[in-house]
Amino acid sequence: MICIATCFSHFGAIRFIRLCKEQGWPARAMPVPRDLSSSCGTCVRYEGECPEKPLEEVEQIVELTPSGYRPLYRAQGS
């Protein structure tokens, strides 16, 4: 599954990329798509699952589907 994770900071995005690579999931940083909002403007596009416990820097994780984005995770208060 192809997912996008938005983060509260650039540092959080870099940490999430490392987490993905540790799991063996291809991941790269990119600008946040217009339909998603983010505090830092950087997101991580990766191929893998939604982690059971995402890093605390992660704002949200969505799956890319043919009809748009399907929410998988959203941090409390965001």
Side-chain angles (χ1 to χ4, degrees), residues 1-4 46 48 61-66 68-73:
M1 116 175 41
I2 298 174
C3 298
I4 293 178
Y46 70 98
I61 298 175
V62 297
E63 177 187 7
L64 293 172
T65 68
Y69 300 107
R70 182 174 72 91
L72 300 175
Y73 168 83

Side-chain angles (χ1 to χ4, degrees), residues 2-50:
I2 298 174
C3 298
I4 293 178
T6 61
C7 299
F8 294 111
S9 68
H10 294 288
F11 177 73
I14 299 303
R15 283 192 63 204
F16 192 79
I17 289 172
R18 286 186 195 150
L19 173 77
C20 289
K21 291 187 177 186
E22 288 171 5
Q23 297 293 322
W25 303 335
R28 65 182 171 95
M30 61 181 253
V32 176
R34 292 181 194 262
D35 295 341
L36 303 174
S37 64
S38 174
S39 300
C40 72
T42 303
C43 69
V44 178
R45 183 181 191 274
Y46 70 98
E47 294 180 39
E49 301 295 321
C50 181

